[in-house]
Structure formats: C-alpha cells, structure tokens
Amino acid sequence: MSDLPPELARLRSSIDNIDAALVHLLAERFKCTQAVGELKASAGLPPADLDREEQQVARLRALADEAGLDPQFAEAFLAFIIAEVIRHHEHIAGADAPQP
C-alpha cells in the first residue's frame, strides 16, 4: 500500500470520508421518514404518497442535472430509498393496527 501514489491515497481518503457522510445523511433521513411513517399511521394515511414521490423524483432529477450527475442514476437511487421508506411505513402501519 505504501507504493501508492500520494494523489491516489488522497483521493481514496476523500472517497472514504464522503461514504461516511452519505451513511450518516441516510441515517438522518431515515429518522425523519420514520417520524413521517408514525404520523401517517396515527392519521390513518397510506404508507405511499404517489404525488409526493413524483415531486421528489422531478426535484432530484433537476438537482442531479445541475450537479452534473446522471439524472437516471439519481432517480434510481431515490427509487431504492423510497421503496425502503414505504416498507418501513407499511411495517409501522401494521404495527399500529389493532390486534385481533
């Protein structure tokens, strides 16, 4: 490993830091969506909100384009996150359902 060019080591270190930040940001995002799921369940709202999802996809695609990131990649990434959020919301709604 000591034979690596210093620039490569520097770039890899930056990538590691960015990956750590992404994980922490995702954890924070899921804390917020957990609270949303609890509010939806208590209000009797469905786990999924297609209008909100469409707005988020359009917003994220525009942000990706502005940032020089492939909008299709950004949309696929968001779809993965949304699917996980909905799964959590369905679980919360099921947990809040009256037990027979």
Side-chain angles (χ1 to χ4, degrees), residues 12-26:
R12 285 181 174 174
S13 178
S14 291
I15 290 167
D16 292 348
N17 289 336
I18 293 166
D19 287 346
L22 286 171
V23 167
H24 288 282
L25 286 170
L26 283 171

Side-chain angles (χ1 to χ4, degrees), residues 26-84:
L26 283 171
E28 190 62 29
R29 188 185 196 286
F30 276 98
K31 286 178 192 173
C32 290
T33 60
Q34 181 82 10
V36 167
E38 291 167 4
L39 287 169
K40 283 181 172 183
S42 67
L45 297 171
D49 182 341
L50 297 180
D51 289 338
R52 168 75 174 160
E53 289 173 34
E54 284 180 23
Q55 292 169 358
Q56 285 297 90
V57 166
R59 182 178 154 273
L60 197 69
R61 286 183 67 90
L63 287 170
D65 191 48
E66 290 171 15
L69 182 67
D70 179 1
Q72 283 184 286
F73 170 78
E75 184 174 347
F77 181 70
L78 183 63
F80 175 76
I81 291 171
I82 288 172
E84 187 66 9

